[in-house]
Amino acid sequence: MSKRVALSGNEAAAHAIRQINPDVIAAFPITPSTPIPMAVSQFIADGKMTTEFVTVESEHSAISACVGASAAGGRVMTATSANGLALMFEILYIASGMRRPIVAPVVARALSGPLNIHGDFSDVYGVRESGWVELFCQDSQEFYDTIIQSVKLAENESVLTPVMPIADGFDISHTVENWYMEDDEAVQKFIGEYHSKYSLLDTEHPVTFGAWAPPDWYYEHRRSQLEGLLNACDAFKAVDKEFGEKFGRSYGVIEKYHSDDADIVVIGMGAVSGTIKDAVDEMRANGISAGFLRVKLFRPFPYKDIIEALKGAKAIGVFDRCITAGAQTAALCTDIRSAMYGKSNIPIVNYTYGLGGRDTTVSHVKTVIEQLKEAAEGKKIDLINYINLRA
Amino acid sequence: MAKKLSFLNKLALNKELLEGGHRLCPGCGHSIIVRMVLNTAMQEGYQPVMANSTGCLEVCTGLYPYSSWNIPWIHNAFENVAATLSGAESMYKSLSRRGKLNNDKIVFIAFGSDGGTYDIGLQALSGAAERGHRFLYVCDDNEAYQNTGNQRSSATPYGTRTTTSAVGTADPIGKKQKRKDIMEIMAAHEIYTAQASPSYWMDLIKKVKKGLKQNGPAYLNVIQPCTTGWGYDPKDTINLAKLAVDTCIWPLYEIENRRSKVNYKPKNKLPVEEYLKKQKRYAHLFTPKGKEALEKIQQLTDEHWNFLLEREQAGF
Ligand SMILES: Cc1ncc(C[n+]2csc(CCOP(=O)(O)OP(=O)(O)O)c2C)c(N)n1
Ligand code: SF4
Ligand SMILES: [Mg+2]
């Protein structure tokens, strides 16, 4: 039986990790994800989990130890944020290149400088080409569920790719919400046992991990690695469906909120979704045909589902919690514009929001929807707009 | 003597854990040391699991679609061999505890050169040593970043010409700093710490055995002559490794439980020139302009050697 609890997003992640009870965790503290390794330490001290916890001296060593532990044949997790993820950058590519099914919840935070510890997607956007699956969550329930789903997704034979479940720093990590925690046994049963085909500890069958590839092999490696990442789209749908059948909650790679019949569609990811949904409700009550499309799976980008979902739109506004420095638009908007290329000529406008923990309110989103309505009627507006930014 | 030979015979008869056909330069000290270490482990009945930092050894033995390794082997990156192996060792502990693995023969051995050890990998090594993972860390010290073309490291000795401690008309010396004392750094972690040379192989093997017996980390610093970077005839690798010891440039000693022991005291301590003059990286010192630097190398060598002797005598 699941039970209703009132706990923060970090606690949701920590409980998911406790229930997964991976063979090895290597982690290093950083705000806002610090409560996760703290909780792991306490769970172990209280005999509530039996994971080998490697208290490394940096995030670089955390992910390095994860790669070594994963190559040694078991289930491996870590968690981090911001500068920690940036410090891991080099090894994220090695983890995915070695096809290590590591699950690393990231509590997304702004990157320095200036130093800022608050919610922002600069860290997770920054590693979007690293070959990891990126799954954005909108609340604690979803963070909890997605972490559990991620284990099954990463270890799927056709995927074998590391996965990052993502929650906005503070907005989710430090906000107490009501959510359902499943039984330990039910979670264990859902994820099942992990059997690695190759292991460093199989001395009878020695395997070389991490050989280097010259120009006549590197390209093939990268292309075949991509196959695993791309398979994650369908594989996630299957895992999510199974999760729904078992626990009554599923999410899809995208979520459509009144978007099917909407003229104005706002697109976004993560914690801002609740605010956008409220704004959509209010606008609809005022007779404006607005809808919201939430992207949950950011990498691999589910462009087919997105194109299908945007068929009826007359104007689109894409929310990015990050500046993609020097690009025409920020990353999510660029992906949407690329997906829509040749499909329609409607305005697709970018809205930067929430950098470094800046508030985004329902009234901000309502203003956006009004702007988009004018754009749909032919009014020219800037390609990139900055919500709640002082002039 | 008979015992010595029979052990050597046995070593030679072992299955090669590092296959021939790798791409290390002829005469490279890396493969000599690796074979001594791994064969000793095997001779002792262990099953080694190895991690390798980026560098000559890794690049020359793990080139897809080939591998020179007949043991489980992992290369992750340049600066994280200790962290990588600490992960593998933690998985070993976890799986053993959870009853998913039953093999008490496995030992963990990391190989890094000076760049991956003294410099970019020092933090990860220190972290892994402090955490107490059971592993033997072997530093094949060739005194520069050889894989990228002989750039100076903090292990490069004073007065050495490398490609980033260049010698020219305005600079007759080369590297201005002395070597980082990695032995003291590792000993400060209160782990078994030893220095060895492939020329004194019985001593090296003894230290490998001791290192593998530790119920925690052990550090072994091994001089690894590099024919290409140091500039000498490949046939002289072991000769140079011997001269380094006999000049007391590379003393054989160990530190354990806060006590040090000098394992070999040359009866006839040779002048440093005997070692230096055989290497192109020191050719600039054998000119009138290099005289002072030569004297300084002798002085630094004597100071360190005397320190080791005095400390041992003092019981520390
Ligand atoms: C982070 C990072 N910086 C730089 C390099 C380039 N690089 C590869 S190997 C190497 C030097 C290796 O030196 P060392 O550890 O002494 O090994 P050796 O080749 O001498 O055996 C360097 C600088 C790298 N691979 N990664
Ligand atoms: S450059 Fe030096 S260390 Fe590298 S393979 Fe050649 S001899 Fe060995
Ligand atoms: Mg070197």
Side-chain angles (χ1 to χ4, degrees), chain B residues 84-102:
Chain B
T84 305
L85 199 61
S86 80
E89 190 261 358
S90 300
M91 184 56 77
Y92 171 84
K93 263 198 258 172
S94 182
L95 296 181
S96 302
R97 189 156 40 78
R98 290 177 165 188
K100 296 182 194 169
L101 181 77
N102 186 8

Side-chain angles (χ1 to χ4, degrees), chain B residues 247-265:
Chain B
T247 52
C248 296
I249 278 187
W250 193 269
L252 306 183
Y253 65 112
E254 59 192 340
I255 306 171
E256 200 179 3
N257 302 325
R258 292 194 183 273
R259 297 285 182 278
S260 66
K261 186 169 169 23
V262 179
N263 308 105
Y264 177 72
K265 291 162 191 156

